[in-house]
Every structure is written in structure tokens, then in C-alpha cells.
């Protein structure tokens, strides 16, 4: 007979990735008893198969690329990367896929960690089945927060499972460098992993269904990244779809809709994400298993007064930092409702309203060159009905760019709302621009008037002087 234990908490969090950890941290800080349920590793996708391992892999690639553009040191970094050392450092950054440290931090907040598969089994109730067979029934007085994230979505191709394709997980955790790698997709995962494995010695072919890379950014972002990948040796084919994949004697054969046959050792599908909500008991509370969960701006699921969906599962902004932002908002909202305090969820930019998800989402693509953006692109702003003007500047006009690297290539755009005289979006592409995007985020999120930005004087000689060039171009 299965042993069953029952416990009651103020809050139950389903998922112990960065989002769930932050919800628990905020509710515990408010004095609410909190249980956290995790079926895999505490720390989630970001820590072990996404942000951390991918950036650990990319850092030596970008450092070498930067050094190769600086006279006086360029000659010293012409050789290949030490692939074994790069992979070893990646392993260390993921704690060798052990979560002792993260679990210890979570427990230090005072939250109780339950390991096992958690499913909703009715309103405010989560049942956890552990590896030891013990079943824990957890009841929440105030809230259940679903923070289960997303998984890679694979296309419906016959026999695909038989060829053991890579998803983002395999691409960031692989322990060997494939001789030939096909990357299917043109988004962030596709471009970053193409950058990594090409630099580590793979012969990379990128197959993009659309017209170019990074289609959700300004067009010039994908163009500059594609140009750099091609210069590095990658074969980029746009307007191309995969029709079949097979493996024989260890060799993959990829057939495209153009009739091309490409042989490879591994194939990575970076073709989108799906919510991890298919087996968490949504049907027991009147919701559709496998669906994205719609929420209000306090992250409470539409039609409920107790269920929250935080992070990727709500499909508002599939980025770790945005999920953590949502977690801070949700934690504050849960605490306020538990205390009977008034909420400001209807007030944009309020303590209980996740507003940045619509207006000021920053993102950095850690390719060479880096591509960074916040807010709306020109096309998005126009579709939203704003009267806007795009202002473009070549980053070579900034003294700091020339000092950063010989032959620096880059571009910046700000999208100005000409009625409100504020910025609706900023895009920067070029080496090192990832560290500039927070200044743009402050300008967009703070709705700083263009006239006031004129008084934000950039230090000379830094790449940040691009702000001055953009404002000069706008003023004419």
C-alpha cells in the first residue's frame, strides 16, 4: 500500500527553477509558509541546460573573437580553442548537473522542498509522488504557483525519435564536438549554438525556414549575425525546411524541401518551445492539459482566485530574467492578497503588475556580434498603432567602438514615439553591446523623455556614446 502524508502550507510552488525559487523566496520573505515541488534538478532549465551552460560555452568563443580584433594580441589567439577545456568549464558552471548548492539555498529560505512528480488534484491541492513511493498531498491556504517552464518543441517528422536529435538540452550538455552539425531554426538557440559548435570545430549547416536569422529583432540584427557566421565557415540556408531525417551506421542524412541531402553527425532542432503543463493535473481544475496558461498582470490564472502561472508557462516572455521578474510580482501579489491588503495590479508599473512583459523586455543574443534589444521593434511599434520614427546610427561613428576592436562592425536603432517623445524600443548589434542594453531598458521602462536623455552624458571614450550619436541624429 502506498504511504500518504498530508501537509498544509500557505503557498505551494510547482517547479524549482529560477522562477519557482524566486516565488518561494518572496512568499517566505512575507512570512508565508511555502512548499516547493521539483521532479528534476533544483535550479531548472536555466542552470543546467540553457542560460548558464550556453553562456559558459560562448564566453571563450567571444573572448577569442574580440582578442583577434585587437592589434598586439591578435597574433597570440589565432589557434583553435581547447575544446576539452571549454567543455570542462561548462561542466563546472553547471555544477556537473548536481543541485546540492541550489537545493541548499532554497531550503535556507525556509521553504520545504519536495522531490517528485507533482500534479494538481483539485483546487489548492498538489499531490507529489516521490521516488520512494511516498505520496505527499499538499494543500495551499492561499495560492498554488505553476512554475514548470517550457520544453523544446520538435517537429512532426516520421522516425525523428529514432535518430536521437539534439534539442537545446543536448546542445548545451554534449560532451563531444560533432564533426558535422545541422542546426534547424533561426532564433536565439539556433544562432548561439551554431556560434559555439562552429568555433569548437564542427562543420555547421544552418537551415532556416524563414528569410533570415533572429526574425523577432530588427532585420539588421539577423543580417549582421548571419554575415559573421558565414565568415566563420557556417553554411546558412534560408527558405529551407527539413522533410526527412534518417540515421544509418551513425551517419545522419537530412533531406530538405529543396531536394538537398546533407550528411551530418548530429542534428539540433531549435524550432520553438512548448509549455510543461501536459501532466500537471490541469484537467482537475477545469484547464486544458498541455496549454499555455493565460494570466492577469498579477500572474493569476484567468478565471481563478488561487492559481498563478509564472514564467514560461504563461507565454508572456520566455526569458529567465522575465520569469524572475514575474516571480517577484507574483510573490508580492500573493502576499498582499493573503494579508488582505489592496493590490495595484490594474496600475501599470505598480508593485503587483507585470508591465515590462508588454513594454520593456530586454534580451541579449550572445553571438558574434552580440545582438541586444529592449521594447518594440519598428515594425512592432507601427503595428501597435504608435506614431514612431526610427533613428539609426553606425557604431563605427563612436570612438569607443574603434578602441574596442579594429574593424568593428555594429549598428544601433532607437524607435521614438514622436507624440510622447519617449523611446518605444532600442536595438544594438555589435561586439560588447550586451552590457549596454540595461541603459536602454531603463530609458524604455522609465519612459524617460528624449529631452531628459540629452542630459544623460555618456563617458568618453566608451561605446555608450552611441546614445549621444542617436540623440544627435534624432534632433538633426
Amino acid at each position: 500500500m502506498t504511504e500518504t502524508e498530508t501537509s498544509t502550507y500557505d503557498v505551494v510552488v510547482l517547479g524549482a527553477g529560477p522562477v519557482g525559487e524566486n516565488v518561494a523566496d518572496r512568499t517566505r520573505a512575507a512570512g508565508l509558509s511555502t512548499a516547493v515541488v521539483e521532479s528534476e534538478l533544483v535550479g531548472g532549465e536555466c542552470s543546467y541546460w540553457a542560460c548558464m551552460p550556453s553562456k559558459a560555452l560562448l564566453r571563450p568563443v567571444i573572448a577569442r573573437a574580440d582578442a583577434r580584433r585587437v592589434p598586439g594580441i591578435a597574433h597570440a589567439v589565432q589557434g583553435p580553442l581547447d575544446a576539452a577545456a571549454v567543455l570542462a568549464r561548462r561542466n563546472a558552471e553547471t555544477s556537473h548537473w548536481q543541485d546540492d548548492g541550489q537545493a541548499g539555498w532554497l531550503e535556507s529560505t525556509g521553504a520545504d522542498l519536495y522531490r517528485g512528480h507533482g500534479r494538481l488534484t483539485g483546487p489548492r491541492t498538489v499531490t507529489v509522488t516521490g521516488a520512494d513511493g511516498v505520496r505527499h498531498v499538499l494543500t495551499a491556504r492561499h495560492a498554488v504557483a505553476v512554475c514548470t517552464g517550457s520544453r523544446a518543441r520538435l517537429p512532426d517528422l516520421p522516425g525523428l525519435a529514432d535518430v536521437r536529435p539534439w534539442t537545446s538540452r543536448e546542445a548545451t550538455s554534449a560532451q563531444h564536438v560533432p564533426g558535422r552539425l545541422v542546426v534547424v531554426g533561426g532564433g536565439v538557440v539556433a544562432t548561439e549554438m551554431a556560434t559555439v559548435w562552429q568555433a569548437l570545430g564542427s562543420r555547421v549547416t544552418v537551415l532556416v525556414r524563414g528569410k533570415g536569422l533572429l526574425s523577432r529583432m530588427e532585420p539588421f540584427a539577423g543580417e549582421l549575425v548571419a554575415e559573421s557566421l558565414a565568415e566563420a565557415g557556417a553554411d546558412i540556408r534560408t527558405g529551407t525546411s527539413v522533410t526527412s531525417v534518417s540515421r544509418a551506421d551513425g551517419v545522419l542524412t537530412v533531406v530538405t524541401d529543396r531536394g538537398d541531402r546533407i550528411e551530418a553527425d548530429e542534428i539540433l532542432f531549435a524550432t520553438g518551445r512548448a509549455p510543461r503543463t501536459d501532466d500537471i493535473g490541469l484537467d482537475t481544475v477545469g484547464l486544458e492539459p498541455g496549454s499555455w496558461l493565460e494570466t492577469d498582470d498579477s500572474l493569476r490564472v484567468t478565471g481563478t482566485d488561487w492559481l498563478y502561472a509564472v514564467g514560461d508557462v504563461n507565454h508572456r516572455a520566455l526569458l529567465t530574467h522575465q520569469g524572475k521578474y514575474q516571480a517577484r510580482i507574483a510573490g508580492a501579489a500573493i502576499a498582499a492578497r493573503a494579508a488582505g491588503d489592496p493590490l495595484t495590479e490594474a496600475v501599470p508599473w505598480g508593485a503587483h503588475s507585470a508591465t515590462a512583459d508588454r513594454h520593456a523586455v530586454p534580451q541579449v543574443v550572445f553571438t558574434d556580434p552580440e545582438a541586444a534589444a529592449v521594447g518594440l521593434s519598428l515594425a512592432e511599434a507601427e503595428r501597435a498603432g504608435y506614431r514612431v520614427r526610427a533613428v539609426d546610427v553606425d557604431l563605427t561613428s563612436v570612438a569607443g567602438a574603434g578602441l574596442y576592436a579594429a574593424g568593428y562592425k555594429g549598428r544601433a536603432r532607437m524607435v521614438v514615439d514622436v507624440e510622447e517623445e519617449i523611446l518605444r524600443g532600442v536595438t544594438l548589434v555589435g561586439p560588447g553591446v550586451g552590457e549596454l542594453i540595461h541603459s536602454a531598458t531603463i530609458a524604455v521602462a522609465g519612459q524617460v523623455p528624449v529631452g531628459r536623455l540629452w542630459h544623460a552624458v555618456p563617458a568618453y571614450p566608451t561605446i555608450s556614446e552611441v546614445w549621444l550619436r542617436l540623440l544627435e541624429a534624432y534632433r538633426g
Side-chain angles (χ1 to χ4, degrees), residues 420-475:
E420 299 290 332
E421 283 280 298
I422 59 175
L423 304 187
R424 293 295 177 187
V426 177
T427 299
L428 303 161
V429 183
V433 300
E435 294 298 336
L436 303 184
I437 200 60
H438 191 58
S439 59
T441 303
I442 292 169
V444 174
Q447 298 182 335
V448 182
V450 172
R452 178 58 64 88
L453 285 175
W454 188 252
H455 296 278
V457 182
Y460 181 86
T462 65
I463 304 177
S464 291
E465 268 203 305
V466 67
W467 281 105
L468 180 55
R469 300 286 91 82
L470 286 164
L471 293 167
E472 288 171 339
Y474 180 68
R475 288 193 164 197

Side-chain angles (χ1 to χ4, degrees), residues 88-425:
R89 180 172 183 263
R90 183 275 319 274
N91 294 347
E93 290 295 332
T94 60
S95 301
H96 300 274
W97 292 274
Q98 300 293 318
D99 67 357
D100 298 8
Q102 298 244 25
W105 176 86
L106 180 61
E107 290 172 341
S108 76
T109 68
D112 290 343
L113 174 62
Y114 289 82
R115 292 188 181 271
H117 182 66
R119 299 182 84 256
L120 290 162
T121 47
R124 292 184 170 84
T125 305
V126 173
T127 298
V128 186
T129 303
D132 57 2
V134 176
R135 188 168 64 176
H136 298 272
V137 179
L138 311 178
T139 301
R141 296 185 186 92
H142 300 294
V144 173
V146 176
C147 309
T148 49
S150 64
R151 57 176 172 78
R153 186 179 65 224
L154 289 170
D156 185 17
L157 286 174
L160 182 59
D162 297 333
V163 306
R164 302 181 302 280
W166 280 9
T167 67
S168 52
R169 283 198 170 195
E170 289 76 21
T172 56
S173 63
Q175 299 295 329
H176 72 283
V177 179
R180 299 161 299 177
L181 173 67
V182 171
V183 177
V184 184
V188 178
V189 172
T191 53
E192 288 190 347
M193 291 300 96
T195 299
V196 165
W197 294 108
Q198 178 70 37
L200 289 177
S202 294
R203 224 168 61 228
V204 173
T205 302
V206 182
L207 305 179
V208 189
R209 185 171 57 184
K211 295 180 180 179
L213 304 180
L214 302 177
S215 61
R216 295 188 178 183
M217 286 185 162
E218 299 284 9
F220 63 82
E223 290 166 5
L224 286 169
V225 171
E227 179 184 323
S228 179
L229 275 171
E231 288 176 355
D235 179 6
I236 300 174
R237 307 183 190 185
T238 58
T240 303
S241 297
V242 175
T243 56
S244 70
V245 182
S246 59
R247 189 189 290 270
D249 299 324
V251 177
L252 273 164
T253 301
V254 182
V255 180
T256 74
D257 57 351
R258 293 184 170 187
D260 296 331
R261 297 176 65 84
I262 306 165
E263 290 191 346
D265 300 289
E266 302 291 353
I267 184 168
L268 162 63
F269 281 92
T271 50
R273 307 289 296 178
R276 289 182 179 272
T277 59
D278 51 318
D279 190 22
I280 60 169
L282 290 182
D283 53 311
T284 70
V285 294
L287 296 170
E288 181 68 28
S291 65
W292 302 102
L293 298 176
E294 182 182 342
T295 71
D296 62 20
D297 285 346
S298 71
L299 289 313
R300 190 166 58 176
V301 174
T302 303
T304 76
D305 63 359
W306 59 275
L307 185 63
Y308 291 73
V310 193
D312 282 12
V313 290
N314 59 39
H315 208 238
R316 292 167 67 106
L318 277 66
L319 295 160
T320 295
H321 47 275
Q322 290 302 120
K324 292 164 72 173
Y325 159 74
Q326 291 177 12
R328 297 189 290 271
I329 299 293
I334 291 168
R337 288 186 172 118
D341 295 336
L343 263 69
T344 61
E345 77 270 23
V347 180
W349 309 108
H352 310 114
S353 178
T355 310
D357 291 347
R358 294 193 304 275
H359 301 293
V361 176
Q363 182 173 22
V364 179
V365 185
F366 293 86
T367 45
D368 176 34
E370 291 177 345
V374 62
L376 304 178
S377 67
L378 175 61
E380 288 170 337
E382 289 174 339
R383 284 197 298 270
Y386 295 114
R387 287 188 57 224
V388 291
R389 174 185 162 195
V391 181
D392 291 339
V393 166
D394 189 322
L395 276 168
T396 59
S397 66
V398 178
L403 291 170
Y404 190 94
Y408 190 103
K409 290 183 182 179
R411 186 173 170 186
R413 168 175 287 180
M414 67 179 187
V415 178
V416 183
D417 185 320
V418 297
E419 292 183 340
E420 299 290 332
E421 283 280 298
I422 59 175
L423 304 187
R424 293 295 177 187

Side-chain angles (χ1 to χ4, degrees), residues 61-71 73-81 405-406:
V61 177
I62 303 306
R64 182 181 67 166
D66 283 346
R68 282 178 168 179
R69 300 184 184 105
V70 180
I73 193 174
H75 70 282
V77 288
Q78 291 305 314
L81 291 168

